[in-house]
């Protein structure tokens, strides 16, 4: 039924603390937050005040350029705090959940019978529009666009990546409804990328008018950008959208229920978590309560990451789950000096290169901390990025074009086809400790500005 | 426990070298020593939260490790060739040969490192950069491609030239166009040809006219070959093992092969370049065999692999990631052309008995062009794809 595409270049970093397929439902968290910093390409305008009462689904802020795009409260309660950073940059809007469950009402109904305009409005009003990410640039999609295609990756190949088949095992109908809604927003096709496992599930397969591809191979095979590159690469001037599976199901649910159900399942994992498992909580929930008593190795500072270790954000022990993240990873901080660390045989030092003895144990799981493990240098080694970057793009040349701000060259070398997560492994393996993702983001932002988008 | 004490000592010293401290001027130097002793406690910020354990120091250490077989062989061979020229009977692996070889080779290494690192530290200090690790390898490569009788002042001069004009003027490790070690050799080759060519420089003591037994010329097999004395050069296996006169580290293809295996297994050296240099050499050797205008051209083509500096150049010089081709496709072309040019210069050009050095330096110049063409084909592919999709929409 579907093509098998083999991804040859990449790297599976085996980490300790993979989540067991069990779900814990914690007590309703007291605090949830929506973080404008989770989103690219928007300028938030605050719509609420501290102390104001909000329902589930009440808009908290909107985008200045496209005020139709709103971000809503995942719970019913009171605005606890509006946290701002430098130059009054909006960081967090924290809501304290109340005891009652009141919702802003949307229209319920099957998307099959709705016209595209109505579907668009419904998704916008539900606060789930930002779940649609636009390529190029990896920014929140513009409501006015009709994308060439919509891509969905049904599996996560990143280190300790969650199993969407497990997360959504009871949400088959919601997922199908979400697909039906999204289908009407594109002039092209919906493409779902599967791995060997999800290809067997009824959850993701069997939808009408959907193209399937099966991907095998190491990370980043599960990255939607890599799949998109293999199936139908993005050309200049084209726009495609990508949505993650759990958000597809959530979109579907709003059509089924007629209100936003902000339940959210994510993996709590990583070497420092005592019982790695899945949590059924709420979007944007505070992770503080989940971590108490759960962290092993108390003597080492934990780093709490919303997302995976390659692309996630450091949210701290009292942080809030990111909008797009279906996993929270906790690993040890690496603030220590390593005596002659570069000269030791390195039985316990993980490396994708074979320069440490650790490479004699390819199937071992590792507890990798956040130490940089070396100083930053100019680009010296070659061929390193290419080994973990399965796209027909020259990664080092692209980065150099960005570093000198050469717009034409960036375009020629394929900047439209990548976002940070696609090049995250390059950053991991880099001998010169180059900040690949940050450079790429600067390039994408510059490009977007130049193109006036 | 010692590590902790050492750390405390460094932490106590550190403030003096930081901004506003008494010894602020020596900041880079202090940093280099600190980084040498301890991998920093710096943690990841934005971007990937975990990083691979590899860094540039580790990389350079592996290359040094790969050079060790060639170095040890070179030391033994230096001693052995010396005693051979005197007519003394010693076995190849013995304390006598090692001792003599060590006394001859070690000072060259010391001079190379002291000169190079001094310049590296000074420039890092002036620029306020961290000291780069690149010279750790260059400093070892330079002695290994010198004839053993080279005067030490010349080593110092050549090293200084290579580091200043080969590297620092371009911005340091990662920015240079030419392989610095080869630049050191080519500098001496053209500035002091009397010390770099001829039959008497390859064996310790010969330059000073120390006693030579009858019939011993000191000529390298390569020089014999260039002179047309093909009958004089040893067989393939003898050349492969490398108990012959030549630059300190270049003679033993066997020792170099061990180094090549280390580089390839660890993934530090590009096997593509090594293989394609060999392929290029064999190809040109074969072409010359077919031509066969003189006895040198008639020499079996595979002998070129184990003659002179070919193996050393292929494994340790051509694979320099900074000065070589950087695209994977480009590496094949780059390596093949090096092999081809090396043998062409070696056999056809009467002025230079060894072509490897010049071939690599020449291809260093062309590497960016090769990369440009490879990258441009990617750009064109992307452009074509765009045009095609635009047309199909219409």
């Amino acid at each position: 039924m579907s093509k098998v595409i083999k991804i040859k270049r990449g790297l599976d970093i085996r980490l300790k603390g993979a989540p067991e397929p069990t779900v814990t439902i914690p007590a309703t968290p007291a605090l949830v937050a929506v973080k404008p910093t989770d989103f690219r390409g928007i300028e938030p305008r605050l719509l609420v005040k501290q102390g104001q009462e909000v329902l589930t689904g009440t808009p908290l802020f909107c985008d200045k350029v496209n005020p139709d795009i709103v971000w809503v409260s995942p719970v019913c309660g009171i605005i606890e705090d509006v946290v701002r950073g430098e130059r009054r940059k909006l960081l967090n809007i924290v809501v304290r959940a109340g005891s009652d469950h009141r919702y802003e009402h949307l229209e319920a109904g099957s998307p099959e019978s709705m016209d595209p305009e109505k579907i668009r409005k419904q998704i916008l009003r539900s606060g789930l529009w930002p779940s649609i990410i636009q390529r190029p640039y990896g920014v929140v999609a513009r409501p006015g666009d009709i994308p060439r295609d919509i891509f969905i990756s049904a599996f996560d190949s990143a280190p300790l990546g969650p199993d969407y088949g497990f997360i959504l095992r009871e949400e088959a109908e919601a997922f199908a409804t979400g697909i039906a809604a999204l289908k009407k927003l594109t002039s092209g096709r919906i493409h779902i990328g599967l791995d060997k496992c999800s290809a067997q599930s009824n959850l993701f397969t069997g939808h009408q008018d959907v193209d399937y591809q099966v991907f095998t191979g190491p990370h980043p095979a599960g990255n939607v950008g890599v799949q998109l590159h293999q199936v139908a690469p993005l050309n200049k001037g084209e726009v495609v959208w990508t949505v993650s599976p759990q958000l597809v199901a959530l979109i579907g649910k709003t059509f089924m229920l007629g209100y936003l159900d902000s339940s959210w399942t994510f993996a709590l994992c990583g070497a420092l978590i005592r019982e790695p498992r899945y949590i059924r909580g709420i979007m944007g929930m505070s992770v503080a309560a989940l971590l108490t008593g759960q962290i092993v190795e108390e003597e080492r500072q934990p780093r709490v990451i919303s997302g995976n270790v390659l692309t996630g954000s450091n949210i701290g022990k009292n942080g809030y789950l990111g909008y797009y993240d279906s996993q929270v990873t906790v690993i040890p901080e690496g603030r220590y000096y390593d005596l002659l660390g570069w000269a030791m045989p390195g039985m316990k030092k993980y490396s994708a290169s074979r320069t440490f003895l650790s490479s004699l144990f390819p199937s071992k799981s590792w507890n990798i901390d956040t130490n940089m493990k070396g100083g930053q240098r100019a680009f010296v080694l070659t061929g390193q990025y290419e080994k973990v970057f399965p796209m027909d793009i020259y990664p080092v040349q692209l980065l150099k074009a960005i570093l000198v701000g050469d717009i034409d060259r960036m375009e020629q070398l394929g900047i439209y086809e990548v976002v940070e997560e696609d090049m995250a492994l390059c950053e991991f393996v880099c001998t010169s400790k180059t900040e690949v993702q940050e450079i790429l983001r600067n390039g994408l932002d510059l490009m977007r500005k130049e193109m006036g988008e | 426990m010692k590590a902790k004490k050492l750390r405390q000592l460094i932490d106590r010293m550190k403030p003096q070298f930081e901004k506003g401290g008494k010894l602020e001027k020596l900041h880079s130097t202090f940093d280099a020593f600190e980084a040498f002793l301890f991998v920093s406690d710096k943690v990841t910020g934005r971007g990937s939260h975990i990083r691979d354990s590899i860094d540039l120091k580790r990389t350079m250490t592996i290359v040094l490790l790969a050079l060790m077989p060639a170095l040890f062989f070179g030391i033994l061979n230096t001693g052995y060739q010396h005693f051979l020229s005197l007519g003394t009977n010693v076995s190849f692996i013995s304390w006598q040969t090692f001792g003599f070889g060590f006394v001859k080779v070690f000072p060259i290494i010391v001079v190379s490192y002291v000169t190079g690192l001094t310049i590296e530290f000074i420039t890092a200090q002036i620029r306020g950069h961290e000291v780069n690790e690149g010279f750790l390898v260059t400093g070892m490569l330079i002695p290994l491609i010198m004839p053993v009788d080279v005067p030490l002042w010349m080593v110092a001069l050549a090293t200084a030239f290579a580091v200043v004009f080969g590297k620092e003027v371009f911005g340091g490790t990662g920015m240079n166009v030419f392989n610095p070690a080869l630049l050191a050799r080519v500098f001496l080759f053209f500035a002091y040809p009397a010390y770099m060519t001829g039959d008497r420089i390859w064996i310790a003591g010969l330059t000073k006219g120390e006693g030579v037994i009858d019939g011993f010329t000191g000529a390298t097999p390569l020089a014999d070959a260039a002179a047309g004395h093909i009958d004089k050069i040893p067989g393939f296996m003898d050349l492969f093992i490398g108990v012959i006169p030549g630059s300190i580290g270049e003679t033993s293809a066997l020792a170099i092969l061990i180094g090549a295996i280390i580089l390839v297994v660890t993934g530090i050296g590009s096997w593509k370049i090594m293989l394609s240099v060999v392929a290029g050499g064999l190809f040109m050797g074969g072409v010359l065999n077919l031509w066969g205008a003189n006895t040198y051209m008639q020499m079996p083509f595979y002998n070129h692999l184990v003659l002179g500096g070919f193996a050393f150049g292929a494994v340790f010089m051509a694979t320099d990631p900074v000065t070589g081709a950087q695209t994977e496709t480009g590496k094949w072309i780059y390596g093949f052309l090096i092999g081809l040019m090396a043998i062409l210069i070696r056999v056809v050009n009467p002025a230079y008995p060894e072509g490897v050095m010049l071939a690599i330096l020449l291809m260093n110049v062309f590497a960016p062009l090769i990369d440009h063409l490879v990258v441009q084909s990617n750009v064109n592919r992307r452009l074509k794809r765009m045009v095609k999709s635009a047309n199909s929409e219409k």
Side-chain angles (χ1 to χ4, degrees):
Chain A
M1 81 175 189
S2 49
K3 227 168 40 181
V4 175
I5 297 173
K6 228 185 199 159
I7 302 291
K8 288 195 186 117
R9 292 174 293 161
L11 173 68
D12 281 327
I13 307 167
R14 285 171 218 279
L15 293 185
K16 281 187 177 160
E20 293 292 322
T22 54
V23 181
T24 307
I25 303 176
T28 313
L31 297 176
V32 300
V34 183
K35 299 181 278 187
T37 49
D38 283 349
F39 309 91
R40 300 285 182 192
I42 58 141
E43 257 187 90
R45 175 192 289 152
L46 194 62
L47 300 174
V48 290
K49 285 196 296 277
Q50 197 177 352
Q52 185 179 328
E53 221 179 295
V54 290
L55 310 183
T56 304
T58 303
L60 300 178
F61 63 96
C62 69
D63 179 35
K64 276 184 189 163
V65 181
N66 288 304
D68 286 347
I69 308 178
V70 294
W71 284 258
V72 302
S73 171
V75 293
C76 173
I78 290 168
I79 305 292
E80 170 92 358
D81 199 2
V82 174
V83 184
R84 287 182 187 271
E86 265 175 61
R87 289 194 276 164
R88 291 185 50 77
K89 187 180 171 190
L90 201 51
L91 297 181
N92 283 350
I93 293 136
V94 185
V95 185
R96 179 171 291 277
S99 50
D100 50 351
H101 298 282
R102 283 175 296 147
Y103 303 92
E104 297 280 358
H105 284 281
L106 304 161
E107 207 169 317
S110 160
E112 307 277 0
S113 60
M114 294 186 189
D115 62 24
E117 209 34 54
K118 206 166 171 191
I119 290 174
R120 198 184 303 268
K121 281 219 172 92
Q122 172 100 341
I123 298 177
L124 280 164
R125 277 188 53 209
S126 71
L128 289 173
W129 187 267
S131 63
I132 305 171
I133 295 177
Q134 171 208 299
R135 302 260 181 153
Y137 315 124
V139 294
V140 173
R142 287 171 304 202
D145 283 341
I146 294 173
R148 188 197 77 188
D149 294 297
I150 296 178
F151 279 80
I152 296 160
S153 171
F155 69 105
D156 192 332
S157 56
L160 303 178
D163 176 1
Y164 289 123
F166 178 75
I167 287 179
L168 298 175
R169 69 201 179 288
E170 285 161 9
E171 309 284 352
E173 197 190 346
F175 186 81
T177 315
I179 293 289
L182 289 172
K183 205 161 33 186
K184 294 213 167 167
L185 300 182
T186 168
S187 59
R189 307 280 289 178
I190 288 199
H191 295 265
I192 298 187
L194 305 161
D195 62 355
K196 282 256 163 73
C197 177
S198 55
Q200 306 299 324
S201 94
N202 300 327
L203 172 64
F204 298 116
T205 60
H207 303 289
Q208 272 189 353
D209 301 325
V210 170
D211 284 355
Y212 293 98
Q213 285 86 27
V214 177
F215 293 87
T216 62
H219 185 61
N223 277 13
V224 71
V226 171
Q227 300 177 357
L228 159 61
H229 184 83
Q230 296 288 337
V231 176
L234 191 65
N235 296 305
K236 186 189 177 186
E238 293 175 345
V239 167
V240 302
W241 288 352
T242 70
V243 193
S244 85
Q246 194 166 191
L247 285 160
V248 173
L250 223 55
I251 289 172
K253 240 182 185 174
T254 55
F255 283 92
M256 287 158 61
L257 300 174
Y259 60 84
L260 174 70
D261 174 3
S262 55
S263 307
W264 189 258
T265 306
F266 58 96
L268 181 61
C269 55
L272 287 197
I273 292 296
R274 187 159 282 141
E275 303 160 81
R277 64 201 189 283
Y278 288 86
I279 305 285
R280 184 154 181 80
I282 286 176
M283 296 179 89
M285 69 186 278
S286 161
V287 296
L290 291 177
L291 296 177
T292 39
Q294 265 302 319
I295 293 180
V296 289
E297 270 194 72
E298 295 283 0
E299 72 276 13
R300 289 174 94 175
Q301 277 291 323
R303 176 173 296 190
V304 182
I305 302 159
S306 178
N308 66 56
V309 288
L310 294 174
T311 60
S313 35
N314 181 356
I315 56 172
K317 273 176 159 178
N318 297 316
Y320 302 91
L321 187 64
Y323 187 91
Y324 299 105
D325 300 327
S326 292
Q327 97 189 82
V328 170
T329 316
V330 185
I331 57 171
E333 285 283 5
R335 284 202 186 279
Y336 56 87
Y337 288 96
D338 191 5
L339 181 65
L340 295 177
W342 51 275
M344 295 296 161
M347 293 285 273
K348 290 185 174 168
K349 294 191 165 127
Y350 178 78
S351 174
S353 71
R354 289 180 299 272
T355 55
F356 292 85
L357 280 185
S358 64
S359 56
L360 297 174
F361 316 102
S363 54
K364 207 179 147 182
S365 291
W366 300 91
N367 177 359
I368 306 178
D369 58 52
T370 64
N371 192 284
M372 280 295 273
K373 303 179 176 83
Q376 257 180 29
R377 296 289 182 271
F379 288 108
V380 172
L381 260 66
T382 61
Q384 214 177 12
Y385 291 4
E386 284 84 348
K387 279 184 198 161
V388 295
F389 182 63
M391 291 190 179
D392 186 22
I393 288 173
Y394 284 96
V396 177
Q397 283 73 9
L398 175 60
L399 291 175
K400 285 183 176 172
I402 295 173
L403 285 171
V404 297
D406 187 339
I407 304 281
D408 291 338
R409 198 73 185 147
M410 281 152 61
E411 186 177 295
Q412 291 171 350
L413 290 172
I415 195 169
Y416 298 126
E417 297 165 51
V418 285
V419 299
E420 294 98 306
E421 60 173 18
D422 301 323
M423 291 184 80
L425 275 172
C426 300
E427 184 169 278
F428 172 78
V429 298
C430 185
T431 299
S432 298
K433 310 291 172 189
T434 308
E435 305 269 351
V436 172
Q437 295 188 76
E438 189 172 352
I439 295 172
L440 179 59
R441 175 40 63 189
N442 292 340
L444 289 167
D445 286 347
L446 177 67
M447 199 73 212
R448 191 161 164 263
K449 211 170 121 197
E450 288 290 323
M451 301 299 281
E453 287 174 19
Chain B
M1 255 8 282
K2 260 188 195 154
K4 230 178 202 169
K5 287 232 171 88
L6 193 61
R7 187 64 240 167
Q8 283 168 355
L9 181 72
I10 288 179
D11 284 337
R12 264 207 308 279
M13 285 163 65
K14 209 171 185 173
Q16 302 196 352
F17 293 93
E18 276 164 0
K19 248 202 161 123
K22 254 190 291 182
L23 299 168
E24 188 190 333
K25 286 226 163 77
L26 291 174
H27 178 74
S28 288
T29 313
F30 180 81
D31 266 1
F33 280 111
E34 189 193 355
F36 174 81
L37 284 173
F38 291 97
V39 173
S40 157
D41 70 337
K42 201 175 161 211
V43 294
T44 52
R46 298 179 61 177
S48 180
H49 296 271
I50 57 172
R51 295 300 185 108
D52 197 292
S53 296
I54 197 173
D55 65 351
L56 210 51
K57 278 195 186 61
R58 183 74 179 185
T59 309
M60 296 300 175
T61 312
I62 298 284
V63 183
L64 278 183
L65 192 71
L67 282 167
M68 286 303 119
L71 173 66
F72 278 110
F73 193 94
I75 289 175
L76 289 172
N77 194 38
T78 300
Y80 184 72
Q81 294 295 335
H82 172 75
F83 289 116
L84 203 63
S85 76
L86 295 176
T88 317
N89 204 2
V90 290
S91 71
F92 184 75
I93 301 174
S94 67
W95 282 112
Q96 267 169 299
T97 53
F98 185 82
F100 182 86
F102 187 79
V103 169
K104 280 285 166 188
V105 174
F106 192 65
I108 304 180
I109 298 176
V110 170
V111 168
S112 157
Y113 271 115
V114 169
T115 315
L117 286 177
T118 308
I119 298 173
E120 285 271 358
F121 274 81
I122 292 171
T123 43
Q125 198 62 63
I126 293 170
R127 289 212 191 101
H129 284 182
E130 280 192 63
V131 178
N132 278 324
E133 289 86 352
F135 192 77
L136 290 179
V137 168
T138 310
M140 181 58 76
L141 286 174
I142 290 175
L144 290 182
I145 54 173
M146 290 289 158
V148 69
D149 250 8
V150 67
L152 290 178
W153 64 267
M154 249 183 229
V155 177
L157 190 66
T159 307
F161 175 83
V163 174
V164 174
F165 291 100
K167 210 161 77 172
E168 296 308 335
V169 293
F170 293 106
T173 303
M175 315 290 184
N176 43 315
V177 177
F178 296 106
N179 186 316
L182 278 179
L183 219 53
R185 196 178 195 286
V186 84
F187 172 76
L188 291 184
F189 186 80
F190 287 112
Y192 303 96
Y195 289 89
M196 297 300 286
T197 49
D199 289 348
R200 307 189 74 81
I201 56 159
W202 307 104
I203 294 168
L206 238 57
T207 335
K208 276 183 254 159
E210 281 177 22
V212 175
I213 55 166
D214 277 351
F216 192 94
T217 64
T220 63
L222 193 67
D224 280 334
H229 308 310
I230 298 297
D231 51 319
K232 272 196 186 170
I233 64 171
F236 182 85
M237 261 333 267
D238 290 338
L239 289 170
F240 177 72
I241 308 258
V243 187
I244 48 173
S247 293
I248 294 168
E250 71 167 15
T251 61
S252 172
L254 174 68
I256 293 162
L257 185 66
I258 298 171
I261 292 170
I262 295 175
L263 288 183
V264 170
V265 166
T266 54
I268 296 297
S270 166
W271 61 270
K272 285 176 193 164
I273 292 181
M274 293 182 203
L275 198 67
S276 55
V277 174
V278 169
L282 288 177
F283 174 78
M284 197 64 224
V287 168
L288 291 172
N289 270 183
L290 291 178
W291 188 0
N294 57 34
T295 47
Y296 199 175
M297 289 191 191
Q298 286 159 12
M299 185 186 76
F301 64 100
Y302 47 82
N303 271 5
H304 280 298
L305 301 186
V306 287
L307 265 181
F310 190 87
F312 195 86
V315 172
F316 294 111
M317 295 293 181
T319 52
D320 174 10
V322 175
T323 57
Q326 308 195 341
T327 55
E328 297 304 298
T329 317
K331 283 175 184 171
W332 290 112
I333 303 167
Y334 169 79
F336 190 82
L337 289 177
I338 286 179
L340 191 144
M341 295 299 293
I343 302 306
L344 189 68
I345 297 174
R346 183 186 266 187
V347 178
V348 177
N349 186 319
Y352 309 119
E354 180 53 297
V356 176
M357 170 180 78
L358 293 172
I360 296 177
L361 287 172
L362 185 71
M363 291 316 294
N364 281 172
V365 177
F366 284 105
L369 179 67
I370 297 172
D371 281 336
H372 175 78
L373 295 176
V374 171
V375 172
Q376 205 54 40
S377 82
N378 176 273
V379 170
N380 292 341
R381 202 153 58 235
R382 183 166 294 112
L383 217 63
K384 249 186 219 157
R385 192 183 74 203
M386 187 182 92
V387 172
K388 200 176 145 197
S389 103
N391 285 342
S392 73
E393 260 173 46
K394 283 172 198 165

